[in-house]
Amino acid sequence: MATTETPLWMNKDLLGQWLSKVYGHVTVTDCELKSSSFNTDNYLSDIRRIEVRTKEGNSYSLLAKCRIDDGAAVSAMRDSSIFAREELLYGTVLPKMHALLKEAMPESFDHLAPICFHASNSLLLMEDMSASGFKMGDRKEGFDMERSSLVIRSLARFHAASVLAYESDPESVEMLKVSLYHEPESQDKWPEFYAGLINTVAEEVACWPEEWQPFAEKLRRLAPQEWGKLQQAVQREVGDFNVLAHGDLWVNNILMTDDAKAVRFVDYQLAYWGSPAIDLHYFLNTSVNLHVRENHVDILVQEYHNILCDTLKALGYKKKLITLEELRRQLDSKIYFAVHAMFGPYAVIQSETSSGFNFDESLETGKNPGPKMLSHNYKEALKRVLPILERKGVFRDV
């Protein structure tokens, strides 16, 4: 008679061992699967929520993030370092960053990420933040100023703590010094996928009034250059101030309480050692609402810089602090990452469900449903952003 092997994330002995690392001796008496999410917006993992009860009379809500092995996205990234990156972050780097912040700033300390009880290449077991009132935001609407400010402040502390963690143990982030965009496994399907998205944006803009036609032509010329320009943008400049960049900081990877008092960052598969401008560009071009995008970006950049410097000083950073002018120069030199975020990820994030866009299918074929996938919100943002990018000179050499 065939038997079904108990998955690791439901093994009571293992759960007890993993929880004991954080809470002292724990004996698990019961575990119950509460829900599963199969490949909704998380293209590389399945999520299970588990309720664990212990002999000591406690209960814990846990989240098991399990690697999946099928789908175009998984196939394209199977031999890359994405799972090893996340294992390293949750298992080694984030605990070190938390310890540094807690020691230096005990009164204001809060976690940057969920507590992780077990990290391996195929399984992450962490606290279920939804049980503590944390939620994802509305990716269509984006964050208002209050919530954007909370994210920016937490990002500044994240970056500052990463600098001190690196100084104390440079070897711990050695594998993160090459971005995922430069790994051989990323060179197959992703360039065509992103070029296809830019061509779709160009097709949409070509239908606008005459004054927009030069942008349509520039976007068409940009499309085949996209991947090379992206690789250039994420290239680390050795002499610059560098940090551990989250690499994928958008609404769905940011959990927040309803009162906008606490935030947690999740999903570290694209993390790498590089410019803080990468996370700033990505967040500000995918995850804030149109009002914030138009009116408050400079304020948020200044706020980021203030908190970054204050946190670095509190952590005992001895080197020269990056100035606001130097940070702005990094933002300008990495401006193409804003272009990438706007024409690639943001177009997907805002895509209409009814358009027939399918991530796996598009990645596999390099094709998408065309301009009908672009939402009203996206088109409005595009009208605001294209002239800004023009003034920044991003189309000068295409």
Side-chain angles (χ1 to χ4, degrees):
M1 181 177 178
T3 59
T4 302
E5 185 178 352
T6 302
L8 295 180
W9 42 270
M10 291 288 282
N11 184 303
K12 289 186 286 188
D13 290 338
L14 287 176
L15 288 171
Q17 293 175 31
W18 296 335
L19 288 170
S20 296
K21 296 176 184 177
V22 175
Y23 298 121
H25 181 71
V26 170
T27 301
V28 174
T29 57
D30 186 39
C31 54
E32 179 185 357
L33 178 64
K34 304 297 288 186
S35 67
S36 298
S37 301
F38 295 100
N39 204 23
T40 52
D41 282 326
N42 197 324
Y43 302 106
L44 303 171
S45 306
D46 282 334
I47 306 297
R48 275 87 169 188
R49 286 184 164 82
I50 311 157
E51 186 72 20
V52 173
R53 289 173 284 277
T54 73
K55 184 179 179 181
E56 293 76 20
N58 299 313
S59 64
Y60 301 97
S61 295
L62 306 178
L63 185 146
K65 183 176 181 181
C66 310
R67 178 174 176 173
I68 58 177
D69 291 314
D70 51 321
V74 175
S75 176
M77 305 308 295
R78 182 175 288 116
D79 297 323
S80 75
S81 66
I82 54 172
F83 300 106
R85 286 172 193 262
E86 196 160 44
E87 177 186 357
L88 175 63
L89 262 292
Y90 275 113
T92 302
V93 180
L94 283 166
K96 186 175 297 184
M97 290 164 57
H98 284 147
L100 288 167
L101 288 168
K102 189 172 185 178
E103 181 179 0
M105 311 167 71
E107 294 182 358
S108 61
F109 171 74
D110 195 12
H111 286 83
L112 301 163
I115 296 171
C116 185
F117 304 101
H118 173 72
S120 70
N121 198 265
S122 59
L123 171 66
L124 297 170
L125 185 76
M126 64 191 78
E127 59 180 332
D128 177 10
M129 300 309 304
S130 67
S132 300
F134 286 79
K135 302 174 183 176
M136 285 190 300
D138 184 335
R139 69 179 188 177
K140 294 283 189 173
E141 292 298 321
F143 292 123
D144 60 16
M145 184 57 180
E146 181 184 19
R147 286 162 173 76
S148 297
S149 177
L150 174 61
V151 173
I152 284 294
R153 296 194 304 271
S154 296
L155 179 62
R157 286 189 284 270
F158 179 95
H159 285 168
S162 75
V163 172
L164 274 294
Y166 172 76
E167 285 193 345
S168 66
D169 184 11
E171 291 185 5
S172 66
V173 298
E174 191 63 32
M175 71 165 290
L176 303 174
K177 288 188 175 180
V178 176
S179 80
L180 195 72
Y181 301 101
H182 288 98
E183 289 190 354
E185 293 78 13
S186 302
Q187 312 311 310
D188 182 17
K189 298 183 182 299
W190 294 100
E192 186 178 4
F193 171 77
Y194 284 122
L197 289 171
I198 294 182
N199 278 320
T200 291
V201 176
E203 188 178 347
E204 167 62 30
V205 174
C207 298
W208 294 359
E210 184 177 352
E211 65 265 26
W212 293 99
Q213 298 314 299
F215 284 110
E217 179 56 32
K218 290 172 183 178
L219 287 166
R220 291 190 197 99
R221 295 201 301 267
L222 175 64
Q225 303 177 39
E226 205 280 344
W227 191 253
K229 286 182 172 293
L230 174 60
Q231 288 183 314
Q232 185 178 359
V234 299
Q235 182 67 43
R236 184 178 69 261
E237 305 301 331
V238 176
D240 282 351
F241 175 80
N242 288 303
V243 300
L244 176 63
H246 180 286
D248 196 16
L249 195 68
W250 70 288
V251 171
N252 276 25
N253 290 337
I254 300 167
L255 307 178
M256 194 179 299
T257 54
D258 283 338
D259 60 5
K261 300 298 184 185
V263 67
R264 300 288 188 272
F265 300 150
V266 297
D267 287 356
Y268 293 90
Q269 294 174 336
L270 272 64
Y272 83 107
W273 191 256
S275 171
I278 297 303
D279 281 341
L280 288 167
H281 277 318
Y282 200 78
F283 173 70
L284 294 171
N285 286 278
T286 62
S287 301
V288 303
N289 65 29
L290 291 181
H291 177 75
V292 173
R293 185 192 292 267
E294 276 196 292
N295 300 289
H296 299 304
V297 166
D298 285 344
I299 295 172
L300 289 171
V301 170
Q302 290 178 41
E303 185 172 23
Y304 166 87
H305 179 260
N306 290 338
I307 299 299
L308 175 74
C309 292
D310 287 348
T311 307
L312 285 169
K313 287 186 281 189
L315 290 168
Y317 185 64
K318 303 300 183 185
K319 297 179 182 178
K320 179 181 176 293
L321 295 171
I322 183 173
T323 66
L324 182 58
E325 291 70 25
E326 288 167 341
L327 176 62
R328 285 175 173 154
R329 281 199 292 271
Q330 282 202 33
L331 287 165
D332 285 343
S333 69
K334 303 295 184 183
I335 189 64
Y336 191 79
F337 203 79
V339 177
H340 165 73
M342 182 66 199
F343 299 147
Y346 189 59
V348 173
I349 290 166
Q350 291 287 322
S351 62
E352 299 288 7
T353 306
S354 60
S355 72
F357 176 80
N358 179 281
F359 185 87
D360 272 340
E361 183 179 314
S362 183
L363 182 60
E364 184 65 37
T365 64
K367 300 177 181 178
N368 60 62
K372 67 179 181 179
M373 72 175 281
L374 304 177
S375 69
H376 174 75
N377 273 1
Y378 181 79
K379 294 172 189 176
E380 289 301 305
L382 195 60
K383 290 174 182 176
R384 290 162 171 79
V385 171
L386 279 172
I388 295 173
L389 295 177
E390 173 80 353
R391 290 196 296 272
K392 291 284 187 179
V394 299
F395 301 117
R396 192 175 298 130
D397 60 347
V398 298

